[in-house]
Amino acid sequence: AFSPNNDGNNDDFCLEGWNVCVKTFIVHIYDRWGEEVFKSVDPDFCWDGTYKGKPMDAAVFVYYIEAELITSEEIIRKGNISLIR
């Protein structure tokens, strides 16, 4: 969970450390209706909980990550992330 309320604590959904072990990376974040609200090919991405420049309401989102490691192993990760306001 993350709470983008500008209090300096847990304001973004970020992943760290992927940049040292991947050749390719893509993350998609979808709302509960399946609309893509965020996408990045940067393994050091951070999502601030906005879509088209506007803050999203509190909700549960789905993330889907596809990556290829430097060892050529393919990785798929998926799960939920809660945005709390």
Side-chain angles (χ1 to χ4, degrees), residues 1-3 10-18 25 27 29 38 40 42-49 63 65 81:
F2 72 113
S3 58
N10 212 20
D11 286 329
D12 298 314
F13 171 56
C14 304
L15 294 181
E16 297 176 357
W18 285 68
F25 177 91
V27 60
I29 299 177
F38 181 81
S40 180
D42 180 358
D44 284 332
F45 81 93
C46 284
W47 180 46
D48 63 0
Y63 66 85
I65 297 169
I81 183 71

Side-chain angles (χ1 to χ4, degrees), residues 10-59:
N10 212 20
D11 286 329
D12 298 314
F13 171 56
C14 304
L15 294 181
E16 297 176 357
W18 285 68
N19 65 330
V20 297
C21 63
V22 296
K23 286 195 278 188
T24 62
F25 177 91
I26 189 163
V27 60
H28 305 269
I29 299 177
Y30 301 96
D31 66 15
R32 64 179 155 179
W33 298 281
E35 183 174 2
E36 185 178 74
V37 297
F38 181 81
K39 177 181 175 181
S40 180
V41 295
D42 180 358
D44 284 332
F45 81 93
C46 284
W47 180 46
D48 63 0
T50 61
Y51 178 57
K52 294 183 179 179
K54 297 184 179 180
M56 301 288 294
D57 290 333

